[in-house]
Amino acid sequence: MSRLPESVRENLPDDLADAEIAGVETADVDEDVRLWGPPGTGKSTQSALRTATRAAEEGLHPSQMTVVTYRKALAGVVKDRLLEWGLFEADDDFEYWTTIHAAAARATNFHDRFSDDRPGLEGMVGGRAEYRFCKDLGISKRPSKPWFETRWTVFRDLYNYAKNNLLDVGRYRNVPDGWLKPLTSSPVASRKLKAFRDEWGTDTDFETVARKWEDFKSHHDCYDFFEQLTAGLGGELPPMRHVVIDEYHDATPLMAALTERWVRNADTVIVAGDPDQVVNGYAGADPGFFEDLAERTGRDVPIVKLDKSYRCPDEHFAAAARVLSDERNPPSLKTDGAGALNRWPGFEYTENGGSWKTPSAEREGSPAYLVDNFGRDMMFLARTRRQVSGIAAALDHAGVVYQSQKDVGGDWETRLLLLNALDVVADATAPGEADEALTGRSGGDLSAYALTAEQARVLREHSHGRYTTRDDAWNQFIGDLDDGEAVSLRDLREYVEDTWFTRYGRGAESVAKLVGLDLTDEVAMINAAKQYDLPLSLEDVETRVLTIHASKGAEASNVVIYDGITNTIADSMEQSATLRENEARTWYVALTRASERLHIIRGAFGYDTYLPDDLEPWAASAAEQMRGETDA
């Protein structure tokens, strides 16, 4: 079966009109395969092509398949392609097209143990359970900054690492013989144990605290997320007719133990990954799980190497390959032609009491300058959460809306809900007319204007109480709304004073009158309202600010990389060849995320440099030489 069935090909988009299934001479579409794909080579697309062909030829339904990856943001990639190609319908049963955690939980009915009303702390562990446990122990949970530590954070970090790496701590269930290893067998765990002892003191035994946490969870019937995986090590399997596991190179030992069970039981399996792109090494991911899958499972799963990148320009791959070559042999890859590789000076980023001093939007190479000059399809990457927080602060000052990972940067989801809500109220209140018209008392039809339930909730939270009439009733009204439900301004008027419309009916001018916002929020929202058309959804925002580890699987026309590693990272690399290799793979991923322009920022934040100082001119020369050899 060397070509796609016509029923599949006729629905492919123009950019895939000539697509072929790679490696059918090694593994046909009805046979097991490992797709080894360097950056931009289309691992997910090849998985989708094979899955589409098998579905078309054999009449497979989505409900007969398990299609998973380790990260929620990447879980819908194959599904979206098959929906776009007309293979399936949106209302088909895609229950097991999800994350590895969710598939394991659904197969074992993990969540059926929870009652619908979730009494007390029952369910998956959240902030309430963590705060309660910390209160019971008399310790602080919340650090003053995300990159600071408390007794709770160092315990949680080591405990989660131990469980996801199957280190012999606390209690386990369903773990196969031979998988558990001593805590001290892991250099990473040993360093985390040192951090634990630094915070707790040498008189406190980590195993004792772990047992207390597990007793607490058992008493309150609450569970950590890794327990979804351990549940999946036994009991019912998800659908096994056709199994796809993407981004397999970032599997932790616990994920590997689970998914190897699936591989052994699947009718047909596709495992996609790239051992050179491991970014979860800090969490225990090991490229050997992908490389040694056949030996580990006793199942012949041949490798098909993808050798053509459809995204990564020559210069970018040359730079990435050089960085990787210090620790691993880079793959052979046909890259996608010339791309820009720019170097910019760094500027001072200093933080004091939660407030950042950042470069202005007019400074060449500042975050806002780069967005203004190269477009909003831009991804900012840095090695640490502290660096990312500083970059986000610079964008906040300039009013640039961005997506970011949790607890890093400003909360643009809430900010946009507020801006969009204020915009609706402004449209309804006809600024400039008499107050009677503003409140609809002289015939204005407020019923024609509506907020979503989410907008109404956040606007209620940030409205001053003096402009409301029935606080308890308003809270009850909004609390009873379903997500996405429309709320007429006429209905809302029942709970607010007439002056509420005057105060919050001026669009962005009303931002400063909201309560519960700090100055950074106000400046960011007011400046964003001048640059963006409202309403604006965060899902439609192209600018992203991420740590390198959170960028796996993502791409952008422009990628901005902040060079620099902390002293702690530098010291750990000196002590461990494994960590040096992990670091090289991390930067290899960062350098291969851009499809057009790669911008490298040097000297910001005062961190030790990681990238070679001559990387940009060296990569440009290497790419030019490579193109010359190709032309010849």
Side-chain angles (χ1 to χ4, degrees):
M1 196 181 297
S2 60
R3 294 185 60 83
L4 291 167
E6 189 58 34
S7 60
V8 175
R9 185 177 297 282
E10 64 185 7
N11 290 316
L12 295 180
D14 291 343
D15 61 333
L16 291 176
D18 298 323
E20 298 291 349
I21 298 175
V24 290
E25 65 282 358
T26 301
D28 212 339
V29 293
D30 58 352
E31 298 176 324
D32 300 334
V33 67
R34 270 177 287 174
L35 298 174
W36 184 324
T41 54
K43 296 186 297 297
S44 297
T45 298
Q46 284 293 325
S47 295
L49 290 172
R50 284 176 171 265
T51 301
T53 300
R54 186 144 191 253
E57 295 291 333
E58 301 181 32
L60 291 184
H61 189 270
S63 62
Q64 298 173 285
M65 305 181 190
T66 295
V67 181
V68 295
T69 187
Y70 78 97
R71 185 180 295 163
K72 186 176 181 180
L74 305 176
V77 173
V78 174
K79 173 185 173 182
D80 290 345
R81 282 168 169 74
L82 297 184
L83 289 175
E84 179 187 357
W85 303 345
L87 263 296
F88 303 126
E89 300 293 333
D91 59 356
D92 284 338
D93 182 1
F94 290 96
E95 183 179 7
Y96 289 93
W97 297 53
T98 182
T99 62
I100 295 172
H101 287 75
R106 291 168 188 174
T108 58
N109 297 314
F110 182 87
H111 293 102
D112 287 355
R113 70 193 70 197
F114 309 144
S115 60
D116 292 337
D117 56 0
R118 296 280 301 275
L121 303 179
E122 178 185 287
M124 302 310 297
V125 165
R128 289 180 61 217
E130 294 173 341
Y131 274 112
R132 174 71 175 273
F133 179 71
C134 290
K135 183 178 179 180
D136 289 351
L137 264 63
I139 63 174
S140 173
K141 173 185 180 294
R142 185 184 298 276
S144 57
K145 298 180 180 64
W147 51 89
F148 283 11
E149 293 178 335
T150 65
R151 287 188 176 186
W152 168 254
T153 60
V154 294
F155 164 74
R156 193 80 164 120
D157 186 36
L158 176 53
Y159 179 80
N160 284 345
Y161 183 87
K163 291 298 184 176
N164 282 296
N165 284 271
L166 296 176
L167 302 178
D168 195 3
V169 170
R171 309 176 186 93
Y172 285 92
R173 59 172 176 161
N174 301 324
V175 176
D177 292 340
W179 277 87
L180 290 183
K181 297 180 180 179
L183 180 68
T184 53
S185 67
S186 164
V188 175
S190 295
R191 283 190 297 276
K192 293 179 184 294
L193 182 59
K194 180 180 182 304
F196 172 86
R197 289 169 175 164
D198 287 344
E199 290 290 331
W200 288 76
T202 56
D203 293 337
T204 302
D205 178 57
F206 170 71
E207 175 73 23
T208 300
V209 182
R211 291 281 183 161
K212 287 181 178 179
W213 173 237
E214 292 181 351
D215 289 342
F216 175 92
K217 289 190 296 179
S218 177
H219 178 73
H220 293 284
D221 199 22
C222 56
Y223 300 84
D224 279 308
F225 282 94
F226 74 82
E227 292 175 89
Q228 296 177 344
L229 302 181
T230 55
L233 291 173
E236 292 295 320
L237 292 161
M240 290 284 106
R241 186 75 184 276
H242 180 78
V243 175
V244 180
I245 309 173
D246 203 358
E247 303 292 331
Y248 196 69
H249 50 270
D250 268 322
T252 62
L254 178 52
M255 287 184 193
L258 172 64
T259 51
E260 286 176 15
R261 181 184 183 223
W262 295 352
V263 169
R264 284 190 291 268
N265 286 276
D267 289 356
T268 304
V269 65
I270 299 172
V271 179
D274 178 10
D276 293 321
Q277 290 192 69
V278 175
V279 294
N280 277 354
Y282 71 98
D286 186 336
F289 293 133
F290 179 89
E291 295 168 328
D292 304 331
L293 182 67
E295 293 80 3
R296 295 175 64 87
T297 60
R299 181 166 182 157
D300 182 20
V301 189
I303 290 175
V304 170
K305 285 195 174 182
L306 308 178
D307 62 359
K308 165 65 177 174
S309 177
Y310 299 94
R311 181 192 71 221
C312 188
D314 304 340
E315 287 81 356
H316 305 178
F317 186 73
R322 178 180 173 186
V323 169
L324 185 64
S325 66
D326 288 339
E327 305 298 335
R328 288 175 64 91
N329 292 325
S332 175
L333 188 66
K334 301 170 188 174
T335 44
D336 201 33
L341 181 55
N342 301 322
R343 177 173 182 153
W344 302 91
F347 301 106
E348 182 180 9
Y349 289 77
T350 56
E351 185 266 343
N352 182 23
S355 178
W356 282 93
K357 177 182 177 182
T358 62
S360 69
E362 292 74 30
R363 294 288 296 271
E364 286 192 4
S366 70
Y369 174 91
L370 293 173
V371 171
D372 287 344
N373 284 273
F374 296 98
R376 291 174 180 165
D377 183 11
M378 181 169 288
M379 185 160 56
F380 293 87
L381 301 179
R383 183 63 176 82
T384 70
R385 292 168 65 88
R386 180 176 181 274
Q387 290 168 296
V388 170
S389 294
I391 298 163
L395 294 173
D396 283 338
H397 295 164
V400 177
V401 182
Y402 54 84
Q403 296 185 33
S404 62
Q405 59 215 81
K406 187 178 179 181
D407 297 330
V408 173
D411 180 4
W412 272 110
E413 182 175 6
T414 297
R415 291 170 177 173
L416 288 182
L417 283 173
L418 283 169
L419 282 175
N420 292 337
L422 293 175
D423 191 54
V424 171
V425 179
D427 285 345
T429 53
E433 300 181 14
D435 282 353
E436 290 80 9
L438 289 174
T439 60
R441 285 179 295 171
S442 63
D445 185 10
L446 291 179
S447 63
Y449 300 90
L451 305 173
T452 66
E454 294 84 357
Q455 290 170 347
R457 291 189 192 111
V458 75
L459 194 54
R460 167 67 187 94
E461 179 183 351
H462 293 281
S463 293
H464 199 291
R466 73 177 63 175
Y467 302 103
T468 64
T469 56
R470 301 167 59 201
D471 274 358
D472 291 342
W474 191 4
N475 290 338
Q476 182 65 46
F477 170 70
I478 291 178
D480 290 340
L481 296 172
D482 294 327
D483 287 348
E485 186 175 347
V487 183
S488 165
L489 289 188
R490 179 173 293 281
D491 292 339
L492 198 63
R493 186 175 180 273
E494 182 179 344
Y495 307 100
V496 299
E497 299 281 358
D498 294 342
T499 48
W500 184 89
F501 285 90
T502 307
R503 187 172 183 84
Y504 299 115
R506 305 290 182 178
E509 294 180 21
S510 296
V511 168
K513 302 181 184 300
L514 296 169
V515 298
L517 299 177
D518 60 27
L519 182 60
T520 298
D521 288 325
E522 293 181 14
V523 170
M525 292 167 64
I526 290 170
N527 287 336
K530 298 174 183 177
Q531 302 180 50
Y532 296 84
D533 295 329
L534 298 175
L536 178 65
S537 170
L538 192 59
E539 294 178 355
D540 297 326
V541 172
E542 296 179 296
T543 308
R544 286 162 286 176
V545 187
L546 303 167
T547 61
I548 298 174
H549 289 105
S551 72
K552 183 66 186 72
E555 62 181 87
S557 298
N558 293 273
V559 171
V560 184
I561 299 175
Y562 281 71
D563 183 25
I565 56 176
T566 64
N567 289 334
T568 300
I569 296 172
D571 291 344
S572 66
M573 288 169 54
E574 290 183 3
Q575 301 168 18
S576 169
T578 298
L579 292 179
R580 287 196 299 273
E581 184 174 321
N582 286 340
E583 197 66 23
R585 285 194 298 247
T586 298
W587 289 88
Y588 174 79
V589 167
L591 292 162
T592 55
R593 298 301 95 194
S595 61
E596 296 180 18
R597 290 173 290 271
L598 182 62
H599 309 270
I600 297 179
I601 309 293
R602 303 281 190 163
F605 294 96
Y607 285 179
D608 292 340
T609 186
Y610 179 83
L611 299 175
D613 187 62
D614 65 339
L615 184 63
E616 297 90 341
W618 183 93
S621 176
E624 190 66 35
Q625 180 179 350
M626 179 177 61
R627 284 192 290 270
E629 293 173 353
T630 301
D631 293 341

